[in-house]
Amino acid sequence: MPRTELLLRLSAAALLVASTACRAERPAHLTGGGAAAAANAGPPGPVAPTGALVQQPYFANMTVERNTAVPMRDGVVLRADIYRPAAPGRFPTLVYRTPYGKDALVESGYEPTIVRAARAGYAVVVQDVRGRFHSDGEFRPYQQEGQDGYDTIEWAAAQGWSNGRVGTFGLSYPGAVQWLAAMEAPPHLVSIFPAMTFDTGRHFFFFGGGFNHDWMRWILLNIAPDVRQRKGLRGAVTEKEAQAEWDRLKWQWENYLPLREFPVLKEVAPWYYEWLEHPDDGPYWDFADVTRAHPKVTTPALNFSAWYDSNYGPLGAIANYNGMRERGATDLARRGQRLILGPWDHGDPTEFETRVGEIDFGPNMTFDYYSLVIKWHDRWLKEIRNGVEEGPPVRLFVMGDNVWRAENEWPLKRTLYVPYYLHSGGRANTAAGDGSLSTAAPAAAAGGAEEPPDRYVYDPHRPVVVENFEKMGPYDHSKMQSRQDVLVYTTEPLAEDVEVTGPITVHLWAASSAVDTDFAVMLCDVYPDGRAYNLAPNEAGFLRARYRTSESKPELLTPNEPTELVIDQMVTSNVFKRGHRIRIQVTSSRFPSFDRNPNTGDPFGASSHVIVARQTILHDAVHPSRVVLPLIPRGPGQ
């Protein structure tokens, strides 16, 4: 979820030991967590009054102005800090907008780009979004960011210290606000660097029709404390208190039914319940549909995400890249799109980290993210021919080989889409069962006998729990694959390396005793010692059956009638090494990353009653369940 990593930084004590000058230039993983770190450190110090100039040795050769009022078109005042060179003149301008609190970003080292950019000759506007921290108004996530972003960009361009050329940067929510502003086509917006953000609400709030239950945690940990302070509400008012409360009560909260009656957020986040009231795609979600606005967007964009980002990240980066290349408003906008997909999880990559989850990807994984942000804007705002937009427009990290590779498009033109078929003797339950995966299609046996189907029971009271749901990255799924309600299909050990790079689609022939239920699939790389690592985020490969043909027009199942389900929203780039095995796991819950389907067919979020669903997966000649893998031919020496 957006920025839950704020709570995973080092303690405030570490921040107090380090000098201000050192910590602001250090990478985020070695310092504090921005607003979260400030909250954990205890009561804040005196807040600079509106428009106050800050004098600190660390800000030598810079002018820093705190809490500058930025009026919006409806009269609401947002507040921003301005960092700019202490010199006469007008400067290209960068805008960073955040709901997580601007005050501690620089001092904690959480967003080094701010000071680096000011030292590189930029004016930098760092703003609390509407209804957060120092800014007035009511916070409604994402819904107000288009117009507010437009107004902020145009305000910045009109200031005496700006040359009128404005760019934006930021990751997660600060990445999303860039696209939402670009959808409004502000005339002075020249370039954007939206990292790890979405393309539509249907790849963000919902995936495959299933509600992303992580939103509850995001609100409780990141949003609720400030809201309670502003409104005088009872409950945790610092993120440190919120984390302690979450650790104590999270399973009580996660298991609460019905979803729409969850009491803890009623006063804090009424908009959360609006989301729950709109499970179908439709006009309500237009505010989050970036793809609809591609023909209006005029700016080059560096689309940046990772294989283990929240799943909206890689899906969003790819969809926005391809959509803008095809339908951007100008030739420059179409040509000026770049796509980078690395091996990281959700957060700023650094020049020091080589490990994600349980896998070390080696020194090639390291990345100077902050310098790239400045280099990108140097090209467009300063018109420096630095080569950042030259060469192949796509850059991928290929896991397994653990190398970077430049490509001309996504998906790759040389891709071979190869179906791998599910097989078993009817006992594919657990990794110790008889499920197998091969390129051989199922064939009718002599006498008309078909491969027997596999069966399992999905009980919403005993869902499959993602134990690492609060962490991202590759984790060993072998424990999960020991459950009877998880079907496992695995190839024989590979005789040679096999590269899978691109979109992954599963065609699953299924029948259920319920009128509505869920199916969740995951592609895994199985090591020779039996460890099985997921190759996509927790939100990937999920489908709520009522949305199998349309997310805007749900249709209930006919119980026990075989239906072909197409499950996608999975992308990766991985080389399965020789001796490894390719595995697909199939189940009907992925809790608490998604809400549990009660199997009743009742309106979404309204039921506290659940029933057991008896699931059947068919894989015979008439019902050829399969996963279609995007194989990339290997050249000599690979």
Side-chain angles (χ1 to χ4, degrees):
M1 290 297 300
R3 286 302 199 219
T4 53
E5 72 273 9
L6 286 173
L7 302 174
L8 303 178
R9 308 291 182 176
L10 295 181
S11 67
L15 293 176
L16 297 175
V17 172
S19 70
T20 301
C22 292
R23 68 183 181 229
E25 284 296 321
R26 296 176 71 199
H29 77 290
L30 295 178
T31 60
N40 291 345
V47 174
T50 299
L53 294 177
V54 178
Q55 301 295 331
Q56 286 187 25
Y58 179 66
F59 297 129
N61 302 317
M62 278 188 284
T63 297
V64 181
E65 189 173 351
R66 298 292 196 196
N67 293 321
T68 300
V70 183
M72 299 293 103
R73 67 188 68 182
D74 61 357
V76 171
V77 173
L78 310 189
R79 292 179 177 83
D81 297 340
I82 316 298
Y83 301 79
R84 52 190 170 88
R90 296 173 179 266
F91 306 99
T93 302
L94 296 178
V95 171
Y96 179 94
R97 307 183 63 244
T98 178
Y100 302 114
K102 63 180 175 57
D103 285 355
L105 286 174
V106 169
E107 287 81 353
S108 69
Y110 187 76
E111 185 45 85
T113 308
I114 296 168
V115 169
R116 292 188 186 187
R119 289 175 175 164
Y122 288 93
V124 186
V125 178
V126 182
Q127 183 185 72
D128 287 331
V129 301
R130 179 182 295 244
R132 298 294 292 163
F133 297 93
H134 296 288
S135 289
D136 299 341
E138 189 74 17
F139 180 62
R140 291 179 60 82
Y142 306 99
Q143 289 178 280
Q144 75 278 3
E145 304 302 359
Q147 291 186 354
D148 285 358
Y150 179 107
D151 291 352
T152 300
I153 289 164
E154 292 304 300
W155 174 90
Q159 300 309 298
W161 36 257
S162 176
N163 70 357
R165 298 177 65 80
V166 180
T168 59
F169 69 99
L171 181 150
S172 193
Y173 198 111
V177 298
Q178 299 176 65
W179 277 119
L180 298 175
M183 289 167 63
E184 304 291 325
H188 291 90
L189 181 63
V190 176
S191 55
I192 64 177
F193 194 118
M196 300 188 177
T197 186
F198 60 86
D199 62 325
T200 79
R202 305 308 295 185
H203 294 159
F204 192 40
F205 302 96
F206 293 82
F207 290 90
F211 181 63
N212 186 354
H213 206 229
D214 282 342
W215 283 108
M216 180 183 71
R217 176 165 54 102
W218 177 72
I219 297 168
L220 286 165
L221 295 182
N222 296 289
I223 303 302
D226 178 60
V227 174
R228 293 191 183 108
Q229 287 193 52
R230 296 168 72 95
K231 297 185 175 182
L233 301 176
R234 296 178 60 185
V237 294
T238 69
E239 291 183 2
K240 182 178 181 180
E241 294 173 356
Q243 183 67 57
E245 190 174 49
W246 170 259
D247 291 340
R248 185 174 71 254
L249 297 172
K250 61 183 173 183
W251 288 114
Q252 176 183 327
W253 290 341
E254 294 280 15
N255 283 292
Y256 190 92
L257 292 176
L259 292 181
R260 292 187 187 181
E261 300 303 321
F262 181 59
V264 181
L265 298 179
K266 289 286 187 179
E267 294 181 298
V268 168
W271 33 266
Y272 173 74
Y273 300 90
E274 288 184 18
W275 298 350
L276 298 180
E277 291 169 2
H278 293 86
D280 303 344
D281 196 6
Y284 176 82
W285 297 108
D286 285 351
F287 72 89
D289 191 352
V290 177
T291 60
R292 178 174 54 90
H294 285 159
K296 297 195 301 181
V297 177
T298 61
T299 56
L302 203 160
N303 300 276
F304 188 96
S305 189
W307 306 125
Y308 291 107
D309 189 4
S310 292
N311 201 42
Y312 63 77
L315 296 181
I318 290 167
N320 287 325
Y321 167 78
N322 282 331
M324 284 295 299
R325 294 280 285 193
E326 296 169 6
R327 303 189 305 279
T330 65
D331 180 63
L332 177 63
R334 292 188 292 272
R335 288 186 293 104
Q337 300 299 311
R338 290 295 182 271
L339 174 65
I340 295 178
L341 294 166
W344 318 291
D345 57 14
H346 189 74
D348 304 353
T350 76
E351 298 173 83
F352 306 92
E353 293 175 305
T354 64
R355 190 174 186 86
V356 179
E358 295 178 344
I359 294 182
D360 192 309
F361 289 102
N364 286 337
M365 172 183 150
T366 60
F367 197 91
D368 190 355
Y369 168 77
Y370 308 111
S371 293
L372 181 62
V373 173
I374 294 174
K375 187 177 181 180
W376 177 253
H377 289 300
D378 280 349
R379 171 63 186 90
W380 305 109
L381 299 183
K382 296 182 179 180
E383 298 184 318
I384 297 173
R385 292 281 183 176
N386 55 21
V388 71
E389 90 289 10
E390 298 174 358
V394 178
R395 190 179 179 201
L396 310 174
F397 188 90
V398 184
M399 299 182 292
D401 281 353
N402 295 339
V403 296
W404 287 97
R405 196 168 67 208
E407 298 289 351
N408 292 313
E409 70 282 313
W410 178 280
L412 313 189
K413 287 183 179 179
R414 62 185 183 278
T415 304
L416 303 175
Y417 293 96
V418 178
Y420 280 68
Y421 295 91
L422 280 57
H423 299 277
S424 82
R427 297 182 300 278
N429 312 72
T430 81
D434 65 359
S436 64
L437 193 66
S438 77
T439 56
E450 301 281 0
E451 282 191 20
D454 293 301
R455 294 181 170 87
Y456 64 95
V457 172
Y458 161 46
D459 181 353
H461 288 303
R462 297 187 65 255
V464 174
V465 173
V466 180
E467 292 186 353
N468 62 289
F469 78 98
E470 294 174 284
K471 299 179 289 185
M472 300 179 187
Y475 287 88
D476 183 10
H477 278 216
S478 57
K479 181 179 178 181
M480 182 187 300
Q481 293 166 357
S482 68
R483 292 180 55 128
Q484 289 293 320
D485 54 358
V486 178
L487 304 182
V488 180
Y489 304 90
T490 312
T491 66
E492 293 296 320
L494 300 174
E496 58 185 15
D497 292 356
V498 174
E499 180 180 337
V500 172
T501 294
I504 298 155
T505 303
V506 174
H507 296 259
L508 194 69
W509 280 93
S512 176
S513 63
V515 295
D516 187 40
T517 192
D518 294 340
F519 291 94
V521 299
M522 181 59 72
L523 179 68
C524 295
D525 186 344
V526 184
Y527 284 50
D529 61 6
R531 289 173 295 154
Y533 291 108
N534 55 298
L535 289 173
N538 289 336
E539 305 94 344
F542 191 90
L543 179 66
R544 183 146 292 169
R546 69 171 68 187
Y547 295 109
R548 64 195 179 278
T549 59
S550 169
E551 289 199 31
S552 59
K553 296 179 179 179
E555 179 183 353
L556 296 179
L557 294 167
T558 300
N560 301 314
E561 179 179 289
T563 302
E564 184 179 22
L565 307 173
V566 179
I567 305 175
D568 50 16
Q569 298 184 3
M570 287 185 289
V571 293
T572 194
S573 180
N574 184 71
V575 175
F576 293 83
K577 307 303 285 186
R578 186 178 66 174
H580 288 219
R581 292 177 291 163
I582 303 170
R583 174 173 291 172
I584 285 287
Q585 68 183 45
V586 180
T587 189
S588 286
S589 53
R590 196 178 286 162
F591 184 72
S593 297
F594 289 97
D595 68 295
R596 294 163 292 164
N597 194 322
N599 300 323
T600 60
D602 292 341
F604 170 71
S607 179
S608 58
H609 171 64
V610 304
I611 62 174
V612 168
R614 302 186 182 280
Q615 319 290 48
T616 301
I617 302 301
L618 301 95
H619 41 77
D620 54 47
V622 180
H623 310 98
S625 292
R626 60 204 182 274
V627 54
V628 180
L629 297 180
L631 302 189
I632 306 302
R634 305 283 282 173
Q638 288 185 301

